[in-house]
Amino acid sequence: MREWIKKIHMYIGLLNFSNLIVFGIAGLAATFQGGRERQSVTEPPRYESFTPPVGATDRQIADLVFDRFRFPLAGPIPNWALHRDEAGNLPLEFWTVNGQRRLLYVPKENRLRIEIVHKSLPFFLDDMHTVTDLQQADWRLRMWAWYNHFAIWSLLGMAISGVYLWLASRPSYRIAQYSFAGGAAIFILLYAATR
Amino acid sequence: MYKVLRNTHLFLGIAAFLFVTMYGLSSVQMAHQTWFSMKSEVAETRLTVSPETSEDPRAITAELRRAGLRGELRDVETNAAGYRIYIQRPGTFYRIDYTRATREAKVRIQTTGFMGMLNRIHHIGGTWHDYWLINVWGIFVALVSVTLILLGATGIYLWFKTHGERAIGVVLLAINLGICVTLLVLVRTA
């Protein structure tokens, strides 16, 4: 039994090595974020002329812009994100794991202001670790979401099988006992204090 | 060397067991949102802010904290009557409507259950928060992140030293690297 669990633990670990590293980097990216806003690099804005049909609704304008650019990995703007600003312009932000495409439709000038925001590699990996929606429009993200699901279950499997392997092989090992008790005590204390 | 890394793998893995389980369970909840009830409880209370406290929302928040509202100041909205202040800690969310004329704070307290609590802990990161307990969690997020990387690295070493498992291990590792690295590169360069 122990030998089989050890094999499974090892095989699952090998099948999830990259994901484990991605999860680790994601945590470190969040640690060094330094504030609520993430650091990013924004390209200088460029402008393109854009004249929607007379009487077009904000929804229709957003769909026209989406069809015109078809930014890779970006989906259509949801209804809840469609709001005019105080000047009557329509901000349209297309979010992707690689960064944002921030567009502003300025009706008085019949043009679009286009800003491209780039995300650094650690924040890209941080966002990739959150991709679990299996209904992704893009096949690459859909495949990644499937692998992420596998990695989530694997993480739980490795944690449980790891504790089993310790208990089945060296349960009386003092330092291991202290490690387990210390880690568990810290978690439970923090949880209780936060609750 | 083998013994040292095997013990390191064991100590780190079991020390981080509850943290990793928390991340795993909360990830399952986020990936399968219909599987768990995330219903929260709502209560209301009223507090009166002392006349000595200035009109500054931070000063009001400080007094409310002294009255027992623990958490991080998330946002302040100004309105005609006064302020709407949001204070949050994992599992508990306060929305305070402060009325300037009466110095009264109407506090709406929203409390989540176990899975909601795990969900919010999962989202903690960094030590820049204005509530110390969230910063302590942030330190452990960093430690667990490093632990995951070390578990991966030591795990690879331990597998490589298990000669009978090398052939199948190479295949499994190649599958993982092949799929994941390819997908990461394809998405990053899209």
Side-chain angles (χ1 to χ4, degrees), chain B residues 49-111:
Chain B
V49 175
S50 67
E52 292 80 40
T53 304
S54 75
E55 287 292 328
D56 177 20
R58 287 200 170 269
I60 296 166
T61 303
E63 180 161 341
L64 291 172
R65 279 180 174 157
R66 284 193 291 277
L69 272 60
R70 296 184 297 123
E72 177 181 32
L73 175 61
R74 294 287 298 186
D75 199 9
V76 179
E77 294 167 4
T78 307
N79 54 43
Y83 301 110
R84 175 167 276 188
I85 300 168
Y86 299 93
I87 297 175
Q88 191 178 12
R89 69 173 191 274
T92 308
F93 185 78
Y94 300 103
R95 191 188 73 196
I96 302 127
D97 285 307
Y98 172 74
T99 308
R100 203 178 283 120
T102 58
R103 306 191 74 85
E104 191 185 61
K106 193 174 103 181
V107 185
R108 183 180 185 272
I109 309 161
Q110 194 178 335
T111 318

Side-chain angles (χ1 to χ4, degrees), chain B residues 163-182:
Chain B
H163 294 273
E165 299 288 353
R166 273 193 188 169
I168 190 165
V170 165
V171 174
L172 297 177
L173 189 60
I175 289 172
N176 174 253
L177 290 173
I179 295 176
C180 286
V181 176
T182 305

